Amino acid sequence: MSNSFVEFRNVSFRYGDDQPWVLKNVSFQIQSDKWVAIIGHNGSGKSTIAKLMNGLLFPQEGEIIVNGLIINEETIWDVRKSVGMVFQNPDNQFVGTTVKDDVAFGLENRGIPREIMIRRIDESLKAVGMSEYINHEPHRLSGGQKQRVAIASVLAISPNLIILDEATAMLDPKGRFDILQVINSVRNQERLMLVTITHDLNEIGYADKVIVMNNGSVWAETTPRALFAKEKDLKQIGLDIPFVAKLAKEFIELGIPINKTPLNHDELLEELWIYHSKM
Amino acid sequence: MNNMLIIGQYVPGSSFIHRLDPRTKITIIFFFVFFIFFANSLLSYGILTLFSVGSALATRIKVSYIIKGLTPVWFLILFTFLLHLLVTKDGEVLFRVFTYPIYTGAIIQGTAISLRFFLLILVTSLLTLTTSPIEITDAIENLLHPLKKIKFPVHELALMMSISLRFIPTLLQETEKISKAQASRGVDFKTGPIKERIQAVVPLLVPLFISAFKRAEELAMAMEARGYQGGEGRTKLRELKVGPLDWVALLCFILIIVALFVTRK
Amino acid sequence: MDISFKNVSYVYQYNTPFEHRAIEDLSFSVKSGSFVAIIGHTGSGKSTIIQHLNGLIRPTSGSISIGNFNLSASDKPKNLKELRSKVGIVFQYPEHQLFEETVAKDIGFGPKNFGIGDNEIMERIQQACTAVQLPNDLLERSPFDLSGGQMRRVAIAGVLAVNPELLVLDEPTAGLDPRGQQDMMDMFYQLHKQKKLTTILVTHSMEDALKYADHVIILNKGKKYMEGTPTEVFANKDALSKVQLDVPEVIQFLHEFKERFEGEITYSNQSIKQLASELTNQLKGLTNNE
């Protein structure tokens, strides 16, 4: 066995026999301690990958191995103990009538004793900064707050891997910012792997690895930095690069040396500073 | 406006009635509804009225709110009373409205039936006023638990109820959104002949159903992802606990019932 | 269509314990033919403003005029339907309002309600389809068989088919991928120019406001917080951060550049290429001065 936590081996998937393939012969690995971003235009198959990863869907061809288990009807419940998932729509994953009940749901399903449940609910709500909302009803929360509760629900079952399937897509900028803060802080707290499925370019910059999907196939598997150097190719498959990467490219054309494609403003300013001080 | 009717509304609070175990409240109300039909003397009615009104006061919910909330019910009660006046022909003729005779028996019976009706509504409203829907669901699940032996899907029923409760506000918001979108496209929900108004509901209902189905599908997937595999082996965060307060309440209620039988004619 | 709001307030569930003031003493005007962006956090009163624009609600106090129509607490426009035929609103996730059996029927639904003749409707459907770049062979399909992006275009075509003079867009690109977002906004901008529409864009995207709008209104907690051309408004970074709003990324970068190098460049719609060259000149100039 390899030492990767998730492995896709020649996976193909379609929703029905008369339907087109959503994924075609997809193979990749996710090693321990990594934040992996999966990007691609709408319909590129990226959300399907997320659902395959914890057995919400099964591939027609190939196999998927998570935490040493080949995903099938028998193993899914064990797989789901180590994989937590946050979906796109904040409303449609909130099961409980209050915040507390919602976080409890996953714990109840796993038969966790009540005393431990109460402790874990408190801890995970604290981790996402939602402690004071413990008795709130979902319709009194904003979208961003509901997604924080969804993350708390996942944290409560202490998984090894959290998949965020476009979890910020329906949020306003403030909600999006809060979620990214939360993710960054929990990632530092625990030994946890992250897979984010997104098309937010600035979100990709944080990842250790990016898997780019195009029409059901893996188009690239690379680092954000290397990816942002490929503006033209990305545009061809309906994606783009962030503003700083574009600006850096223009500087290079003007003859200013930029040694590595910047991921954020600071990195670009630093490069300019080096250039400036050498002059 | 719907907020006139309080039946089914929950008013959060911390009175001792609020704090009673929902099972205690359901049990008491169940027997109250049963025993109220045994009352037949002035005193026995008095005791039941005292109990109901006393409980209502003990909830510390504003009396004016409760009285106002029962407005639609007042009409029903009045109607019941009038019906008895016209139909019952017991006792002596007390007076005549124009030429129509009104009997003493009619007044007594009309009052008794109306009072019974009023007490029934009042006491059952007290349950929903002081108990959150989810607590009621928990209590029902718990009380129906023995039925599991005959394969009655108690857990599924309770889950269904709690999910419905969870999604009612969401679907109401959605209804408002869609009806505004369709009104902007020229649909008139408020005026026009009945036939057209019924037709106007189609552009509202179709999207609403489609979205509800989509929500259900996504919710099912989210529940599965969170490890839900039915009621077997689940633990529960919500806990029902019968405390001393509940025993006191039950004892009081038993005393009331005993008093009821003693004062019966 | 000229629009003006004069001291408009709106209170939800007025005179009840649940009373909630959504907008307060709001005044602004929109010139016919302009492209205005309204920006603010969730709950800042944006959707309340939208609902006033076609008379879904009327102000609790103050007055509004939209073209020849007037709205106030006491003034209900006699012909609400006519107002609604002139104001097209694309609500958030407009694909949620689709319901007909075919795409063509759904696009024709609005015009039919507003009493347009059958032949004219057919023509309008064609035009609207072209406007939203929807292939004609989809017209007889069920809207529910289409992709998310296509469904949204159908819904937008349904609004355009009424031939509105004022087009109100509430977060029209939410949930689309980056290219879908850009295509959608470019499409609206083109329509705005071609059909000489008055356009009101409600958005969270500072980038879109900067790129497309000629006037920006910033809302905070139901009140007007700032107003002006995009460059004017976004020049005031401190005021915006006070209400936790960002400036567009390019302006943010220029600020950071200024802090680091003390070289100042004001943003005036330069392309990235131009910016890079101006910044380079700055860097070189700074060095020469030393």
Side-chain angles (χ1 to χ4, degrees):
Chain A
M1 256 320 151
S2 66
N3 61 349
S4 52
F5 188 79
V6 177
E7 186 177 353
F8 273 52
R9 283 189 194 152
N10 310 101
V11 171
S12 296
F13 175 84
R14 56 181 170 185
Y15 282 92
D17 290 340
D18 51 346
Q19 301 277 317
W21 291 100
V22 182
L23 294 179
K24 284 170 291 198
N25 200 20
V26 170
S27 300
F28 63 84
Q29 295 184 6
I30 297 174
Q31 249 109 46
S32 316
D33 292 315
K34 289 238 177 184
W35 178 339
V36 178
I38 302 181
I39 64 168
H41 57 84
N42 282 354
S44 62
K46 54 189 194 312
S47 279
T48 306
I49 291 185
K51 290 179 183 121
L52 286 164
M53 245 183 239
N54 71 348
L56 292 171
L57 299 170
F58 296 103
Q60 276 83 8
E61 287 167 23
E63 54 192 23
I64 298 159
I65 299 151
V66 174
N67 204 8
L69 297 167
I70 295 177
I71 294 188
N72 57 39
E73 291 284 357
E74 278 100 65
T75 57
I76 45 172
W77 301 111
D78 287 320
V79 168
R80 284 176 197 157
K81 278 179 193 156
S82 59
V83 180
M85 194 154 166
V86 180
F87 296 86
Q88 180 178 16
N89 192 320
D91 256 318
N92 299 354
Q93 55 187 316
F94 205 113
V95 186
T97 40
T98 67
V99 168
K100 183 171 65 184
D101 291 302
D102 192 58
V103 180
F105 183 73
L107 299 167
E108 293 174 331
N109 291 335
R110 288 166 176 78
I112 311 280
R114 189 165 179 275
E115 306 74 58
I116 300 177
M117 224 188 293
I118 292 168
R119 206 188 66 223
R120 290 228 211 142
I121 292 170
D122 285 342
E123 284 167 3
S124 50
L125 282 177
K126 202 170 159 204
V128 300
M130 287 291 291
S131 297
E132 54 186 302
Y133 296 91
I134 188 159
N135 288 317
H136 273 232
E137 292 159 327
H139 62 275
R140 297 189 202 287
L141 302 178
S142 71
Q145 289 171 329
K146 278 180 219 167
Q147 289 303 67
R148 271 148 75 187
V149 174
I151 294 175
S153 305
V154 166
L155 288 176
I157 59 163
S158 44
N160 306 91
L161 170 66
I162 297 183
I163 305 170
L164 297 151
D165 184 4
E166 299 197 45
T168 58
M170 291 179 78
L171 306 181
D172 59 9
K174 201 160 165 275
R176 205 168 292 171
F177 178 78
D178 288 347
I179 295 294
L180 282 178
Q181 295 285 94
V182 163
I183 294 173
N184 261 319
S185 77
V186 298
R187 195 174 71 126
N188 294 334
Q189 272 172 25
E190 294 176 52
R191 228 181 93 88
L192 195 65
M193 272 178 280
L194 275 178
V195 170
T196 52
I197 289 162
T198 179
H199 39 231
D200 186 334
L201 295 167
N202 293 316
E203 214 174 298
I204 299 163
Y206 297 102
D208 303 298
K209 178 160 108 172
V210 186
I211 296 174
V212 185
M213 295 299 297
N214 185 39
N215 295 329
S217 305
V218 175
W219 182 83
E221 205 182 329
T222 178
T223 62
R225 215 180 285 289
L227 184 72
F228 291 159
K230 295 188 199 169
E231 184 182 7
K232 235 190 229 152
D233 297 337
L234 274 174
K235 277 205 164 142
Q236 242 153 33
I237 62 163
L239 297 171
D240 207 349
I241 60 170
F243 166 78
V244 264
K246 284 183 186 166
L247 191 58
K249 225 184 91 209
E250 296 298 341
F251 277 124
I252 293 171
E253 285 192 5
L254 289 168
I256 296 184
I258 304 286
N259 293 318
K260 47 179 194 180
T261 312
L263 294 176
N264 51 47
H265 294 185
D266 280 345
E267 286 187 6
L268 179 57
L269 289 167
E270 193 56 39
E271 295 267 0
L272 293 177
W273 184 255
I274 293 167
Y275 165 78
H276 171 242
S277 44
K278 274 187 192 157
M279 266 169 70
Chain B
M1 284 300 255
N2 270 350
N3 33 9
M4 280 300 288
L5 191 63
I6 54 162
I7 297 174
Q9 287 240 11
Y10 169 55
V11 182
S14 60
S15 74
F16 95 90
I17 303 230
H18 278 90
R19 280 179 288 139
L20 284 178
D21 187 296
R23 288 170 301 178
T24 311
K25 288 189 258 189
I26 290 180
T27 313
I28 289 179
I29 286 162
F30 180 82
F31 285 104
F32 181 85
V33 168
F34 179 72
F35 282 118
I36 200 169
F37 293 97
F38 286 89
N40 62 0
S41 67
L42 194 61
L43 206 54
S44 60
Y45 272 113
I47 288 168
L48 290 182
T49 310
L50 203 68
F51 169 74
S52 315
V53 174
S55 309
L57 291 176
T59 62
R60 295 215 214 117
I61 297 168
K62 267 195 198 155
V63 179
S64 63
Y65 180 79
I66 299 178
I67 292 174
K68 232 167 127 193
L70 291 174
T71 312
V73 181
W74 292 125
F75 289 107
L76 270 176
I77 292 171
L78 197 69
F79 179 74
T80 317
F81 182 70
L82 289 177
L83 202 69
H84 271 276
L85 281 194
L86 300 180
V87 177
T88 313
K89 294 191 163 56
D90 279 345
E92 298 158 28
V93 175
L94 194 63
F95 59 92
R96 284 170 188 274
V97 180
F98 301 108
T99 56
Y100 200 90
I102 300 292
Y103 296 86
T104 46
I107 299 242
I108 293 169
Q109 241 189 326
T111 313
I113 301 282
S114 305
L115 184 64
R116 235 182 239 174
F117 192 53
F118 166 71
L119 293 181
L120 273 181
I121 302 279
L122 178 65
V123 170
T124 35
S125 324
L126 289 185
L127 173 70
T128 52
L129 277 171
T130 63
T131 324
S132 72
I134 191 69
E135 277 182 296
I136 296 179
T137 307
D138 287 338
I140 291 174
E141 180 177 11
N142 192 284
L143 291 170
L144 292 182
H145 202 262
L147 292 182
K148 251 192 172 158
K149 289 211 177 79
I150 57 161
K151 298 253 159 77
F152 187 80
V154 178
H155 163 74
E156 285 76 8
L157 188 76
L159 185 74
M160 228 167 67
M161 283 170 66
S162 85
I163 288 179
S164 315
L165 292 173
R166 146 75 186 88
F167 275 93
I168 286 170
T170 311
L171 289 177
L172 284 179
Q173 280 170 4
E174 182 118 342
T175 311
E176 200 186 321
K177 256 193 227 160
I178 297 173
S179 71
K180 281 189 170 153
Q182 304 298 32
S184 304
R185 293 168 84 192
V187 176
D188 193 345
F189 294 106
K190 285 176 189 151
T191 55
I194 292 285
K195 194 178 155 236
E196 277 178 29
R197 270 199 263 177
I198 292 172
Q199 278 172 346
V201 178
V202 176
L204 176 62
L205 283 187
V206 174
L208 200 58
F209 271 101
I210 288 172
S211 116
F213 278 121
K214 195 173 162 237
R215 281 183 196 283
E217 217 170 276
E218 288 187 12
L219 186 73
M221 194 165 262
M223 285 170 64
E224 203 186 318
R226 290 166 71 180
Y228 179 72
Q229 16 178 353
E232 282 309 305
R234 279 187 107 229
T235 44
K236 293 199 78 179
L237 173 71
R238 295 189 159 275
E239 195 178 44
L240 297 174
K241 250 194 194 141
V242 176
L245 211 59
D246 293 287
W247 294 118
V248 172
L250 280 171
L251 193 70
C252 286
F253 182 66
I254 290 169
L255 288 176
I256 298 267
I257 297 303
V258 171
L260 169 74
F261 278 94
V262 171
T263 53
R264 255 169 67 94
K265 264 193 272 191
Chain C
M1 259 184 150
D2 287 317
I3 299 162
S4 96
F5 275 53
K6 278 195 194 109
N7 311 99
V8 173
S9 297
Y10 186 80
V11 185
Y12 283 97
Q13 296 186 282
Y14 193 47
N15 264 340
T16 72
F18 309 103
E19 197 172 285
H20 163 66
R21 195 167 281 271
I23 51 179
E24 200 174 341
D25 197 22
L26 190 67
S27 302
F28 65 85
S29 53
V30 174
K31 262 200 225 101
S32 184
S34 59
F35 195 121
V36 176
I38 299 182
I39 298 178
H41 289 294
T42 309
S44 60
K46 293 176 295 179
S47 64
T48 310
I49 293 182
I50 291 182
Q51 293 178 45
H52 280 102
L53 291 171
N54 72 350
L56 286 171
I57 52 180
R58 280 183 291 144
T60 311
S61 65
S63 65
I64 299 172
S65 68
I66 300 153
N68 301 322
F69 299 90
N70 295 305
L71 277 96
S72 70
S74 55
D75 216 357
K76 192 180 173 186
K78 274 162 231 113
N79 203 341
L80 211 55
K81 219 166 181 173
E82 197 189 332
L83 171 64
R84 287 186 188 162
S85 74
K86 291 192 170 163
V87 180
I89 302 187
V90 176
F91 284 96
Q92 246 181 73
Y93 299 101
E95 59 272 23
H96 293 175
Q97 75 198 29
L98 301 176
F99 74 100
E100 285 278 19
E101 294 145 65
T102 67
V103 168
K105 275 189 185 172
D106 214 297
I107 298 177
F109 180 68
K112 204 177 97 196
N113 284 328
F114 292 115
I116 311 285
D118 284 351
N119 292 332
E120 169 88 19
I121 290 180
M122 291 309 291
E123 227 169 87
R124 296 257 186 115
I125 293 173
Q126 289 294 336
Q127 286 167 356
C129 261
T130 318
V132 300
Q133 295 143 26
L134 201 70
N136 266 340
D137 54 323
L138 296 182
L139 279 177
E140 291 312 310
R141 295 261 294 274
S142 159
F144 303 107
D145 291 341
L146 308 182
S147 75
Q150 285 172 328
M151 280 170 82
R152 182 160 307 178
R153 280 168 195 269
V154 172
I156 293 166
V159 174
L160 294 175
V162 182
N163 280 353
E165 292 169 35
L166 167 65
L167 188 60
V168 183
L169 309 168
D170 186 2
E171 292 280 340
T173 64
L176 300 177
D177 58 21
R179 181 192 275 178
Q181 293 186 357
Q182 194 174 348
D183 289 352
M184 189 68 75
M185 280 315 299
D186 286 345
M187 176 194 98
F188 282 125
Y189 194 65
Q190 225 182 348
L191 282 170
H192 170 78
K193 291 277 171 206
Q194 261 172 20
K195 305 205 168 184
K196 300 196 169 57
L197 298 173
T198 310
T199 307
I200 294 183
L201 169 70
V202 170
T203 185
H204 289 299
S205 165
M206 304 297 167
E207 321 295 329
D208 284 347
L210 181 64
K211 194 166 166 193
Y212 301 104
D214 24 59
H215 193 79
V216 176
I217 296 169
I218 308 275
L219 290 181
N220 185 47
K221 293 181 181 154
K223 290 183 181 166
K224 187 169 76 185
Y225 183 69
M226 281 166 92
E227 186 177 23
T229 66
T231 36
E232 275 166 20
V233 169
F234 293 133
N236 204 342
K237 183 175 177 288
D238 293 339
L240 284 167
S241 27
K242 218 181 258 171
V243 293
Q244 285 155 14
L245 287 171
D246 295 324
V247 294
E249 195 177 359
V250 48
I251 291 172
Q252 174 68 29
F253 183 81
L254 292 177
H255 262 278
E256 287 165 18
F257 183 85
K258 183 183 158 195
E259 272 168 28
R260 190 115 182 201
F261 299 97
E262 287 171 5
E264 193 161 1
I265 289 181
T266 35
Y267 182 76
S268 50
N269 295 313
Q270 298 98 322
S271 68
I272 293 184
K273 209 180 196 72
Q274 285 169 325
L275 276 177
S277 101
E278 281 180 39
L279 289 168
T280 308
N281 289 340
Q282 280 269 358
L283 279 177
K284 288 183 175 159
L286 288 172
T287 323
N288 292 343
N289 290 344
E290 273 169 27

